């Protein structure tokens, strides 16, 4: 069996009045993330991990932030388009693991919803999608609440 692994990393700046969307789940928050799309930092990191594992470049190449078509785009739709590219390339997703690095709010009760949303977009059982939460411990851009980061790893195998 041929196994491929890819990693993804993304960061977006915190901005008042923007929506906070993580893995397709909207948080009740008076601040969100700045970006051309809906700035779903977690969906972007997962997308990059998949593209990386498949050897298909990165999310910015496929969905440039200079293109009007992707303004305020639903990143979960972009993620589904990436999954379709991976499958078209003869691969299937084995699992995805990811970490949101955010000072507040805590993922808490949203964690399972995020896991389910991502699993649905990826066409996987939620057991194959893990979502972890970390913080900046008061240090750096995350700790100063200037931004939110996300990391992801995805593994693929040849489809039968
Ligand atoms: Zn992004």
């Amino acid at each position: 069996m041929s196994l491929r692994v890819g990693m993804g990393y993304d960061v977006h700046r915190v901005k008042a009045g923007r929506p906070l969307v993580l893995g397709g789940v909207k948080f009740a928050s008076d601040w969100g993330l700045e970006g051309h799309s809906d700035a779903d930092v977690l969906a972007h990191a997962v997308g990059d991990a998949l593209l990386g594992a498949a050897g298909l470049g990165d999310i910015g190449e496929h969905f440039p932030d200079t293109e009007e078509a992707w303004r305020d785009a639903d990143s979960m739709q972009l993620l589904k388009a990436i999954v379709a590219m991976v499958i078209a390339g003869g691969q299937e997703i084995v699992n995805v693991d990811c970490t949101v690095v955010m000072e507040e709010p805590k993922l808490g009760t949203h964690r399972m919803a995020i896991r389910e949303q991502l699993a649905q977009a990826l066409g996987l059982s939620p057991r194959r999608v893990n979502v972890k939460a970390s913080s900046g411990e008061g240090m750096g851009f995350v700790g100063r609440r200037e931004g939110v980061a996300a990391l992801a790893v995805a593994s693929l195998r040849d489809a039968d």
Side-chain angles (χ1 to χ4, degrees):
M1 186 185 78
S2 156
L3 190 72
R4 301 169 183 224
V5 174
M7 58 87 74
Y9 170 77
D10 194 30
V11 57
H12 282 264
R13 188 183 291 270
V14 164
K15 192 173 183 188
R18 285 271 303 175
L20 178 61
V21 185
L22 295 171
V25 174
K26 270 209 173 77
F27 283 63
S29 170
D30 53 5
W31 60 268
L33 299 176
E34 196 173 13
H36 186 69
S37 64
D38 61 4
D40 187 335
V41 66
L42 181 57
H44 295 175
V46 170
D48 257 355
L50 291 169
L51 290 170
L56 291 172
D58 67 33
I59 200 166
E61 286 175 47
H62 294 281
F63 307 101
D65 62 7
T66 49
E67 256 178 50
E68 205 49 37
W70 313 125
R71 180 177 297 281
D72 297 324
D74 176 350
S75 295
M76 294 302 275
Q77 295 304 318
L78 306 187
L79 186 56
K80 286 179 189 172
I82 290 169
V83 171
M85 283 182 229
V86 168
I87 289 167
Q91 301 283 304
E92 63 181 29
I93 305 165
V94 178
N95 79 305
V96 167
D97 183 28
C98 52
T99 301
V100 178
V101 191
M102 181 168 71
E103 208 67 1
E104 57 164 10
K106 298 292 174 214
L107 288 191
T109 53
H110 290 303
R111 190 200 297 244
M112 199 58 214
I114 293 170
R115 198 170 172 178
E116 282 167 2
Q117 287 289 307
L118 285 174
Q120 194 190 22
L122 299 169
L124 295 177
S125 155
R127 287 183 300 118
R128 290 178 180 266
V129 181
N130 194 59
V131 178
K132 307 192 296 299
S134 186
S135 82
E137 298 269 332
M139 299 176 289
F141 71 85
V142 171
R144 291 189 299 269
R145 297 167 169 80
E146 292 168 1
V148 173
L151 304 101
V153 175
S155 63
L156 307 178
R157 68 180 164 213
D158 295 336
D160 295 329

